[in-house]
Amino acid sequence: MKIHWATDYMGIGNSYGYSIHNRIMKKEISKYVEFDENAKISLAILQAYNYERVPDKFNVLFTMWETEDLPRNYVEGLKQADFIIVPCEHNKRLHQKYVDKPIEVCQEGCDTEIFKYKKREFPQNGKPFRFLWVGAPNPRKGYEEMAFICQMVKDVPGIEIYLKTTMTDRFEVRGNVIFDSRNISIEEMVNLYHSANCFVLPSRGEGWGLTLVEAMSTGLPCIAPRHTGIADFFDDYVGYTVKWELKEIDLPHYNLKTSCPFPDPFDIFHRMVYVVKNYKEALQKGKKASERVRNKFTWEKAGLRLYEILKEVERKYIN
């Protein structure tokens, strides 16, 4: 099978998630297909508002969104595609409200050979219990909720909050809160997951939830709301879900008034306390989480699923 990989010339912007998704998916699907500019099927993995139809081809767009409504320019991009792929069931339902086009789900994955499982134990010899958050410094990734939680646990002995983000290239320690916005290697990122005792992601919406999957892969006990893309792989069997409520938000950058799930910071705090007091149980959930990722959500499986979708596209719409 031959496909035209349109993302190479459309670009992916500055999105970390799309960059990882594009690079790894291209590598995985190359096991099954040839890349050819003259192929009849064109595939692009990028934000729909940046999408441009490729002339004289069957256009497949792999995209995602995080809130309960889509921006107008995003919908206009969707309309240029012939077939749409999204990473979760929430996105399938969302996109079906706006366009009458075939839509399939191709869940993403994790590199389990890099994000290896680590056996953990409760910190000894005076080491603090480290809660880790990883994300961009914006409201959707739960940065505001984490700031609130940091105030709640400020100067509590035996507890440490590590905030790993980007943009400012700083490293600061303020009491029991570590703020780290440096650019670090993938090996350093793995070591950071391995150094933590619990992962916290108070997200307000995910197309998938890459950092949560990475944390799960390492066996790190996780606390997160079960909504949007997260609901496809995270539940109380493998972690600790928290309460959330849909609330209205205004996204002027996208000219969009919509709603998204807001996690309850007090419920997150109570879950954090529970994990500290019941760490053996939490570690068992972390082990189950790692097993789930390794059995169901590897990039190899994601690449195979994408190939299967494209083969069906070829069978149904090309041949």
Side-chain angles (χ1 to χ4, degrees):
M1 181 182 183
K2 296 181 179 181
I3 63 170
H4 172 233
W5 195 265
T7 316
D8 283 345
Y9 76 87
M10 288 187 186
I12 53 174
N14 61 356
S15 168
Y16 174 77
Y18 276 104
S19 175
I20 296 293
H21 186 183
N22 179 71
R23 175 174 58 81
I24 297 181
M25 278 299 210
K26 185 176 183 181
K27 173 186 173 183
E28 291 300 327
I29 203 170
S30 68
K31 300 173 183 177
Y32 311 103
V33 306
E34 295 180 37
F35 300 117
D36 186 343
E37 291 186 358
N38 297 315
K40 296 179 180 179
I41 297 174
S42 176
L43 172 67
I45 301 177
L46 78 167
Q47 300 97 329
Y49 48 76
N50 289 334
Y51 183 64
E52 298 178 7
R53 182 176 180 83
V54 181
D56 303 320
K57 297 185 186 297
F58 188 89
N59 282 249
V60 179
L61 172 63
F62 197 149
T63 191
M64 66 188 73
W65 192 254
E66 299 85 13
T67 65
E68 296 302 302
D69 300 279
L70 298 177
R72 181 177 299 175
N73 61 347
Y74 185 102
V75 176
E76 292 305 312
L78 294 178
K79 291 178 179 179
Q80 295 190 58
D82 300 303
F83 193 98
I84 297 167
I85 303 174
V86 292
C88 65
E89 294 295 334
H90 165 270
N91 267 213
K92 183 175 183 177
R93 295 189 297 270
L94 173 62
H95 287 67
Q96 285 174 332
K97 295 192 301 183
Y98 289 87
V99 290
D100 184 20
K101 296 178 183 289
I103 303 174
E104 287 291 341
V105 174
C106 178
Q107 294 163 328
E108 296 185 34
C110 176
D111 192 329
T112 56
E113 292 302 311
I114 293 178
F115 296 94
K116 295 180 180 295
Y117 174 80
K118 179 184 178 182
K119 187 176 182 180
R120 293 172 172 85
E121 60 182 20
F122 197 88
Q124 304 293 323
N125 302 320
K127 290 187 65 176
F129 190 103
R130 174 177 284 182
F131 288 97
L132 173 66
W133 170 85
V134 178
N138 64 53
R140 185 173 65 81
K141 291 296 184 178
Y143 190 78
E144 294 177 357
E145 284 80 0
M146 288 307 301
F148 182 78
I149 290 168
C150 285
Q151 287 299 314
M152 295 178 70
V153 302
K154 183 179 180 181
D155 299 326
V156 173
I159 298 296
E160 180 178 85
I161 306 283
Y162 198 116
L163 306 175
K164 180 68 191 83
T165 187
T166 57
M167 306 292 284
T168 59
D169 196 27
R170 288 159 46 203
F171 183 87
E172 299 178 3
V173 180
R174 298 180 181 179
N176 62 343
V177 177
I178 299 172
F179 178 86
D180 184 355
S181 62
R182 300 169 300 170
N183 291 322
I184 63 175
S185 67
I186 191 68
E187 292 80 11
E188 291 172 310
M189 192 69 235
V190 173
N191 290 337
L192 184 55
Y193 283 123
H194 284 173
S195 75
N197 300 104
C198 181
F199 185 77
V200 184
L201 182 67
S203 171
R204 297 180 185 177
E206 300 287 342
W208 177 241
L210 183 59
T211 60
L212 181 57
V213 178
E214 291 172 350
M216 290 170 61
S217 180
T218 71
L220 188 55
C222 295
I223 299 171
R226 187 172 188 264
H227 59 51
T228 55
I230 297 173
D232 278 31
F233 60 86
F234 187 72
D235 53 42
D236 284 316
Y237 181 75
V238 296
Y240 296 92
T241 63
V242 298
K243 299 175 183 177
W244 55 271
E245 179 183 0
L246 276 180
K247 296 182 181 181
E248 293 183 355
I249 58 170
D250 188 4
L251 301 176
H253 181 69
Y254 297 106
N255 193 26
L256 177 66
K257 292 185 177 181
T258 181
S259 60
C260 71
F262 279 66
D264 182 345
F266 291 101
D267 195 38
I268 295 169
F269 172 75
H270 291 310
R271 290 293 193 181
M272 292 168 67
V273 172
Y274 184 90
V275 167
V276 173
K277 292 182 176 179
N278 300 271
Y279 199 51
K280 287 185 178 180
E281 174 192 288
L283 289 174
Q284 287 301 310
K285 285 180 180 281
K287 186 176 181 181
K288 293 174 182 176
S290 181
E291 291 170 352
R292 175 176 289 180
V293 172
R294 291 165 192 284
N295 290 333
K296 295 184 177 182
F297 300 111
T298 64
W299 284 116
E300 291 84 359
K301 291 184 182 298
L304 178 58
R305 169 62 178 157
L306 180 57
Y307 169 67
E308 291 171 345
I309 292 173
L310 294 175
K311 282 294 291 182
E312 182 62 16
V313 166
E314 183 180 56
R315 184 194 68 80
K316 191 171 182 178
Y317 300 102
I318 306 301
N319 294 335

